[in-house]
Amino acid sequence: MFTNITRTTLCITAFSIASLMAAPLNATKTESLDWNWKFARFGKMPDGSTQPEPGKAMGFATATSEESGNPADNAVDGDKSTRWCAASGKSGEKITVDMGRPVDVKTVNILWEKQSNHLFKLEGSGDGKRWATIEDKTSGQNDSKEDTVENKTGKPRYFRITVTGNNQSNWASIREITFKNDKGEIIRPQAAAGTSKADNPSSPSFNDKNWRSLNLPHDWGVEGPFRMEIENRTGKLPWVGIGWYRKTLEIPADAKGNQFYLDFDGVMSRPKIYVNGHLAGEWKYGYSSFRVDITPFLKFGQQNTIAVRVDNPPSTSRWYPGGGIYRHVWLTESNPVHIEHWGVFVKTPEITKSAAKVEVDTTVKNTTDKAVIPTVTEEILDGGKIVASTTTKGEEIPAGEKGKITSTLTLKNPTLWTLNAPHLYKMKTTVRMGDKVIDQKFTNFGVRTVEWKPTGFYLNGERVQLKGVCQHHDLGPLGSAAHTRGYERQIEILKEFGVNSIRTSHNPPAPEVLDLCDKMGILVIDELFDVWQCSKEGVNNESFNEWHERDVVNLCHRDRNHPCVIAWSSGNEVPEQGMKNLHHISQTLTDLFHREDPTRKVTSGCNNANAARNGFGDTLDVYGYNYKPWAYKDFAKDRPHQPFYGAETASCVSSRGEYFFPVDWNKGKGFYLYQVSSYDLYAPGWANRPDVEFAAQEDNPNSAGEYVWTGFDYIGEPTPYNLDATNALNVPEGPEREKLMAELKKLGDRAPSRSSYFGIVDLCGFKKDRFYIYQAHWRPDLKMAHILPHWNWPERKGQVTPVHVYTSGDEAELFLNGKSQGVRKKGTGEKDRYRLVWEDVKYTPGTLKVVAKKDGKIWATDTVTTTGKPAALTLKPDRNEIKGDGYDLSYVTVAVRDAQGRMVPRSKNQLTFKVSGPADIAGICNGDPTDFTTMANPENKKIMKIKAFNGLAQVILRSRKGESGKVTLQVISNGLKPAQTTVTVK
């Protein structure tokens, strides 16, 4: 059976695992490994309890207390990026290690989390009851990062460290305890008597029959439940914890001699990959794609067990990261000599109207024990037709090494990759040994020039204003699990209001995102890190120093052929901006990016007002300003040779369909009952309404453009309702506020919001009012007008209810029930440059109508009408036909309507969905940042419930693999006429 997922770098569509045939292969084969895994969670569980991890590799340490996510076992796990930390700063915390048997330990090395005055006592024991002192450093000064102690007490089985002299700024925290014999060899704890390898989930003999069966991609966190006591900056979802995934597969006996790899698009986080009980590889950063060579561990002609351990500790993300194998997994089979993973790099250094010079670097990997001399043929395909080709003989590649073969082609009369016509070519790379083809790959690429100049950004020699948004990686109700259709729909919605660029904030995206941007004409700033060496807001990147180079290499090699990628971003708002002694980190990252890809510039998002002048800006090719529109003018004057842009702008906040009165233009107002008014006037202290950034961009034409925070709402970071008890001040004084203050105090002062308010569209992808101010500004030739607010205000009869209009016209007249409310023209002031405002309209039920004009002629109209009460439901799928591949989606919009068919804007009716046929409910949502309904419930794929939020809700259908037929979706609500729709699965 053929897989429906394709990769631009593959020559051949993947076959089933069982059909992987003996060497020699004509080309590398890649098969999806997404199907039929077994899964179980351990550690911190969704309900807040703790489930012991079976056969834990180093389950031999105990402590008097443990900070959540930093257990005692971390101190003996062999990983210096993890740690044990006590639960408080009190003196006398103990950690005890059971070696499993008496051991002849010569030295004990203690690696502390940080250099400080560490006072401690180390003791040894044969039975865990009677203790002998090995070293006593409980007095004096011991300002160290690590301590090495010599053992002279014989052969203890148990070792105990008592940490003293601690306080609230110096907790007991140990990264690693290492035991060595007199030869300097590491002695590790062993399983206690009565345990066996079969107790460990990495073992082929482990019994997983009671584990859950599932398919990938999988995000365990979004399955919920939401819990009030979980911090809301990461979405109040249970993403913290440990997960194990297991799968068996058979590799044919006659495939022995070939190379086999597991390719992971992303695992959140710290995955360790075991094959038949052996650790085959690992990675630290949850957003990186990586490869593991499993060849040495395979049993050919037999069943092989793949086990993946995933560890999501707390304090590793400022937003909702998801958890698990949340992107695709692939099994790759290659000849012993083959094209390296991501080993084809296509460059177009010279482009004219008549010809393009195309350079191709192909890296060939030789895993044999003999030197080889490969020959590489490069062919450019345009719609299947060969339009250029060349053959190059490589240099000798020694045994066990890699070699690069560079080829040059001339492409005549090239069709350029542009935003409006994103034309893609394919490079067909064929590697031969003598006359035999040993590998072949296809690589998509585009012919285009990218230039960052002090006067802006240029694509193919023409200046393009970047109309960008920042995008987090989650897909709302689907969580972080990768879904190609989910990404495609997001891009469709973004393009509708004028977006031409995305900043992947603050991490590498799924590979499918860049494939779609290539095809749909979207420019991308490809970002790598949110945190470098220094922690930020309590979030650490403990593996940065050891792993950052590997992360840069993998990102560049994976993404460098995408024409959509216009720059690499090394980081975002890192504390190192203000630390001159650490600016070298930024320079190191820039140099690494340039080394791996000399064709693109490097940027970073900078929120430190001094970073442009304190030397940090000199480490970047392109300067990215976060929330500093007032700084553009001086930057252009003071640094005339450096390009710049708004890397993160606006951060206006709003809730779809919520409006609060009186309307105040103070950006710090408009917050009420954990929602934000949708007049689009409100923002946190560091941020601004859209109008302010529009003006700064237009008044400073040297700016290359902006990236709004954010295109879509996302899970987590519910500013302005973070972990702040003062949120209760948004409730009027009296019993209601007192009750809320008491509730917050009980919950540790944690507010209930669980997703962001920043989005131009909400978590479902439903348009907020803000969608239309961007559409009016970014698509000036589109005839459009939009009125806000809705006109259902029975409690406001006779009261002033301001009306705002967004239009691409230059003036408009507003009518209420046919009576003119006056004409407004766009001007140069704060209130009329990008919106038209009628501040004195008094509410009367009926119809608002606006007639917009441009150059004196009618341009566009819009109407808003007072509706009746909820009477019926409607269902509207975005696609009536989807593929039966187990991945494809249909997004169905549910609307609550009155008897005349008009959406009732303030309705919040309870809805029940029921689906039958070859599809399941993959997720439900309503766009309400305070709704705690589980959005993706694996135990309820056929029936789910949620309330409408201001007239709308959403259900997402996902096809079942290999099935076809008609899917019927029904929705019911008490007192309303039900609705039904069908989707065909093919």
Side-chain angles (χ1 to χ4, degrees):
M1 182 176 293
F2 292 92
T3 177
N4 285 307
I5 299 181
T6 59
R7 285 295 175 84
T8 57
T9 55
L10 296 182
C11 165
I12 188 165
T13 304
F15 296 93
S16 67
I17 297 168
S19 69
L20 295 174
M21 301 306 292
L25 303 170
N26 289 327
T28 292
K29 296 179 179 180
T30 297
E31 165 72 18
S32 170
L33 273 195
D34 286 347
W35 307 100
N36 303 317
W37 289 76
K38 302 286 282 188
F39 168 75
R41 281 191 67 169
F42 303 98
K44 202 72 172 178
M45 300 298 284
D47 62 1
S49 64
T50 299
Q51 177 70 30
E53 185 179 0
K56 194 167 183 181
M58 292 294 178
F60 313 110
T62 58
T64 49
S65 75
E66 299 174 331
E67 183 182 50
S68 176
N70 293 307
D73 288 336
N74 283 357
V76 287
D77 66 357
D79 185 348
K80 294 179 181 179
S81 69
T82 64
R83 62 190 173 100
W84 161 67
C85 185
S88 72
K90 72 177 183 179
S91 180
E93 296 281 5
K94 296 179 175 65
I95 181 171
T96 303
V97 180
D98 179 3
M99 301 298 288
R101 77 285 187 202
V103 288
D104 190 5
V105 169
K106 178 69 172 178
T107 61
V108 180
N109 179 268
I110 306 169
L111 178 64
W112 305 94
E113 181 199 1
K114 57 185 178 181
Q115 185 167 335
S116 186
N117 185 30
H118 300 294
L119 304 180
F120 69 96
K121 179 193 285 188
L122 174 64
E123 301 169 284
S125 173
D127 59 7
K129 298 177 181 179
R130 293 167 294 178
W131 295 91
T133 299
I134 299 174
E135 184 78 19
D136 189 341
K137 290 188 176 182
T138 55
S139 61
Q141 278 294 121
N142 183 35
D143 190 23
S144 62
K145 174 73 173 179
E146 60 182 303
D147 288 280
T148 300
V149 176
E150 185 176 355
N151 172 41
K152 297 180 180 180
T153 63
K155 297 182 179 181
R157 171 176 170 172
Y158 301 91
F159 291 84
R160 182 171 71 186
I161 300 171
T162 303
V163 186
T164 61
N166 305 108
N167 53 53
Q168 289 305 313
S169 61
N170 184 27
W171 293 17
S173 184
I174 296 175
R175 289 205 175 278
E176 197 67 26
I177 306 170
T178 305
F179 305 89
K180 293 184 178 181
N181 61 20
D182 57 1
K183 296 179 181 179
E185 299 168 333
I186 294 176
I187 304 174
R188 300 193 183 278
Q190 291 182 357
T195 63
S196 68
K197 290 184 178 179
D199 295 323
N200 195 304
S202 67
S203 170
S205 56
F206 182 83
N207 185 354
D208 61 14
K209 72 175 184 178
N210 292 325
W211 284 18
R212 173 180 160 198
S213 297
L214 54 73
N215 301 319
L216 307 178
H218 171 238
D219 172 10
W220 73 52
V222 77
E223 296 172 354
F226 289 105
R227 298 208 323 270
M228 183 67 94
E229 68 270 22
I230 299 177
E231 62 179 3
N232 59 7
R233 75 169 178 174
T234 54
K236 294 192 174 292
L237 284 169
W239 59 276
V240 171
I242 294 167
W244 276 92
Y245 296 82
R246 287 170 50 88
K247 180 181 178 65
T248 59
L249 54 89
E250 183 176 346
I251 306 296
D254 56 8
K256 190 172 184 178
N258 289 343
Q259 292 294 119
F260 287 83
Y261 304 95
L262 291 179
D263 295 327
F264 292 86
D265 287 351
V267 183
M268 190 63 67
S269 60
R270 304 184 182 193
K272 292 186 176 182
I273 293 85
Y274 297 86
V275 179
N276 295 324
H278 300 280
L279 180 63
E282 64 179 317
W283 207 266
K284 298 296 183 182
Y285 191 39
Y287 295 104
S288 285
S289 299
F290 63 96
R291 165 170 279 190
V292 175
D293 184 356
I294 63 172
T295 312
F297 312 103
L298 290 176
K299 298 177 180 179
F300 292 88
Q302 301 179 45
Q303 289 290 321
N304 293 268
T305 299
I306 309 297
V308 181
R309 182 183 187 270
V310 185
D311 181 9
N312 251 4
S315 302
T316 52
S317 182
R318 295 189 302 123
W319 57 86
Y320 175 72
I325 306 179
Y326 71 109
R327 292 177 181 169
H328 297 292
V329 182
W330 312 84
L331 176 68
T332 297
E333 180 188 7
S334 299
N335 283 318
V337 179
H338 57 270
I339 299 171
E340 171 69 323
H341 191 36
W342 305 315
V344 177
F345 184 14
V346 183
K347 296 168 282 187
T348 54
E350 299 174 15
I351 302 172
T352 65
K353 187 175 182 179
S354 59
K357 179 182 178 182
V358 181
E359 292 182 355
V360 189
D361 293 336
T362 298
T363 300
V364 175
K365 185 175 184 179
N366 176 18
T367 67
T368 72
D369 57 2
K370 297 180 180 179
V372 298
I373 302 176
T375 298
V376 175
T377 298
E378 306 286 3
E379 297 171 294
I380 300 176
L381 304 181
D382 188 5
K385 179 182 178 182
I386 299 174
V387 293
S389 65
T390 189
T391 298
T392 305
K393 186 174 183 179
E395 301 291 329
E396 181 180 281
I397 303 175
E401 296 190 15
K402 303 173 187 176
K404 183 172 71 174
I405 299 95
T406 299
S407 305
T408 302
L409 303 87
T410 299
L411 176 62
K412 295 181 179 179
N413 303 314
T415 301
L416 300 183
W417 186 92
T418 67
L419 296 181
N420 294 326
H423 186 80
L424 294 173
Y425 292 93
K426 285 186 184 293
M427 183 67 67
K428 180 182 178 182
T429 301
T430 304
V431 180
R432 292 179 173 85
M433 295 286 293
D435 295 331
K436 289 186 177 180
V437 173
I438 60 168
D439 208 354
Q440 202 171 77
K441 286 192 177 182
F442 281 47
T443 304
N444 281 356
F445 73 99
V447 178
R448 92 288 187 265
T449 62
V450 164
E451 297 174 280
W452 291 86
K453 300 180 180 180
T455 53
F457 172 79
Y458 292 77
L459 179 67
N460 299 322
E462 296 184 3
R463 193 184 187 286
V464 174
Q465 187 73 6
L466 297 173
K467 303 170 183 177
V469 294
C470 299
Q471 284 285 95
H472 267 312
H473 73 301
D474 76 70
L475 288 169
L478 300 176
S480 297
H483 288 80
T484 301
R485 173 55 193 160
Y487 301 132
E488 181 181 48
R489 176 177 176 269
Q490 283 193 339
I491 296 171
E492 290 170 352
I493 292 169
L494 296 175
K495 285 174 68 76
E496 189 179 348
F497 67 85
V499 169
N500 64 14
S501 191
I502 291 172
R503 175 184 174 220
T504 65
S505 47
H506 304 290
N507 48 261
E512 293 80 8
V513 172
L514 298 183
D515 290 340
L516 289 164
C517 289
D518 283 346
K519 297 173 184 177
M520 299 173 74
I522 293 289
L523 305 169
V524 175
I525 292 181
D526 203 346
E527 192 152 275
L528 181 54
F529 294 123
D530 183 54
V531 179
W532 294 349
Q533 181 175 296
C534 297
S535 64
K536 180 169 64 176
E537 299 177 15
V539 172
N540 302 297
N541 185 354
E542 294 176 342
S543 62
F544 177 82
N545 288 340
E546 183 181 355
W547 284 79
H548 69 267
E549 182 173 357
R550 281 173 278 189
D551 287 320
V552 171
V553 169
N554 279 23
L555 176 67
C556 283
H557 288 199
R558 189 194 74 169
D559 295 349
R560 59 191 176 182
N561 290 312
H562 288 281
C564 66
V565 176
I566 59 173
W568 306 110
S569 178
S570 59
N572 171 70
E573 297 182 355
V574 293
E576 287 88 342
Q577 296 169 87
M579 305 175 183
K580 287 189 176 183
N581 62 317
L582 296 181
H583 285 181
H584 66 89
I585 295 176
S586 180
Q587 188 63 61
T588 295
L589 290 170
T590 296
D591 292 344
L592 287 171
F593 276 113
H594 287 166
R595 184 191 74 188
E596 300 303 319
D597 176 17
T599 72
R600 290 177 177 88
K601 302 295 186 184
V602 179
T603 184
S604 185
C606 304
N607 67 329
N608 187 315
N610 297 318
R613 295 172 179 81
N614 68 4
F616 187 83
D618 297 333
T619 68
L620 304 171
D621 302 317
V622 181
Y623 193 85
Y625 265 117
N626 285 18
Y627 310 109
K628 301 292 183 291
W630 46 266
Y632 297 163
K633 183 177 180 180
D634 287 344
F635 185 96
K637 181 177 69 173
D638 298 341
R639 299 178 69 86
H641 304 298
Q642 186 172 29
F644 73 97
Y645 67 105
E648 204 165 303
T649 65
S651 269
C652 182
V653 286
S654 64
S655 304
R656 175 182 54 79
E658 294 286 321
Y659 307 90
F660 305 135
F661 305 95
V663 176
D664 195 321
W665 283 70
N666 181 335
K667 70 177 181 180
K669 303 292 184 179
F671 310 143
Y672 184 70
L673 291 177
Y674 303 109
Q675 301 292 354
V676 182
S677 178
S678 193
Y679 272 96
D680 301 333
L681 299 171
Y682 309 109
W686 72 84
N688 295 287
R689 62 184 66 98
D691 320 49
V692 173
E693 186 67 32
F694 290 164
Q697 293 289 330
E698 289 194 333
D699 295 344
N700 297 278
N702 283 6
S703 172
E706 67 166 314
Y707 289 82
V708 181
W709 192 266
T710 53
F712 274 64
D713 276 338
Y714 55 95
I715 305 173
E717 288 194 312
T719 306
Y721 302 111
N722 292 316
L723 312 181
D724 185 359
T726 61
N727 287 316
L729 300 179
N730 295 303
V731 180
E733 291 186 8
E736 190 176 5
R737 179 189 287 186
E738 293 174 7
K739 179 181 177 181
L740 185 55
M741 288 290 285
E743 178 187 355
L744 284 170
K745 194 68 176 176
K746 186 187 301 182
L747 295 169
D749 295 337
R750 295 191 171 186
S753 303
R754 48 73 168 162
S755 56
S756 83
Y757 301 79
F758 290 118
I760 295 171
V761 298
D762 72 11
L763 202 64
C764 298
F766 296 149
K767 300 168 186 176
K768 299 183 185 179
D769 292 298
R770 228 176 325 141
F771 175 100
Y772 298 98
I773 194 172
Y774 282 98
Q775 188 181 65
H777 184 60
W778 284 352
R779 299 185 65 186
D781 295 329
L782 177 69
K783 295 182 177 181
M784 58 79 61
H786 175 75
I787 297 171
L788 65 98
H790 61 72
W791 213 236
N792 277 33
W793 303 106
E795 74 279 17
R796 296 190 58 78
K797 288 183 180 179
Q799 297 183 42
V800 171
T801 305
V803 176
H804 291 204
V805 170
Y806 303 144
T807 179
S808 50
D810 50 34
E811 65 175 281
E813 185 172 11
L814 181 70
F815 298 88
L816 175 55
N817 295 329
K819 183 178 179 180
S820 176
Q821 304 297 301
V823 174
R824 301 290 187 269
K825 296 184 178 182
K826 288 185 177 178
T828 58
E830 179 186 20
K831 294 185 177 182
D832 63 8
R833 189 168 177 180
Y834 302 104
R835 66 177 79 202
L836 301 175
V837 178
W838 288 259
E839 291 191 308
D840 300 322
V841 179
K842 292 184 178 180
Y843 178 76
T844 300
T847 298
L848 281 173
K849 180 178 181 179
V850 68
V851 179
K853 293 183 177 181
K854 195 167 190 175
D855 299 326
K857 298 180 180 179
I858 294 178
W859 179 251
T861 64
D862 189 30
T863 59
V864 174
T865 301
T866 305
T867 72
K869 296 179 180 180
L873 302 172
T874 60
L875 292 171
K876 184 178 181 181
D878 71 331
R879 299 157 79 220
N880 294 103
E881 185 175 296
I882 59 177
K883 293 176 289 187
D885 57 5
Y887 298 109
D888 207 3
L889 306 172
S890 180
Y891 285 78
V892 183
T893 298
V894 188
V896 179
R897 300 190 180 275
D898 68 5
Q900 284 72 48
R902 299 168 297 196
M903 194 270 283
V904 182
R906 298 172 77 177
S907 53
K908 295 178 171 64
N909 303 69
Q910 179 71 47
L911 308 171
T912 299
F913 304 106
K914 183 177 181 181
V915 65
S916 61
D920 296 317
I921 297 176
I924 56 174
C925 192
N926 58 16
D928 180 0
T930 67
D931 192 308
F932 275 38
T933 305
T934 298
M935 296 187 292
N937 190 337
E939 297 179 0
N940 293 297
K941 297 181 179 181
K942 293 299 184 182
I943 301 176
M944 294 187 75
K945 298 180 179 182
I946 198 169
K947 286 185 177 181
F949 178 61
N950 292 330
L952 297 175
Q954 179 183 80
V955 58
I956 305 170
L957 301 179
R958 179 171 53 219
S959 67
R960 290 190 198 160
K961 185 183 180 185
E963 297 186 27
S964 61
K966 184 176 291 187
V967 178
T968 300
L969 175 66
Q970 298 174 309
V971 59
I972 60 173
S973 181
N974 288 339
L976 304 183
K977 182 180 178 180
Q980 179 174 302
T981 191
T982 59
V983 173
T984 300
V985 176
K986 289 192 173 182

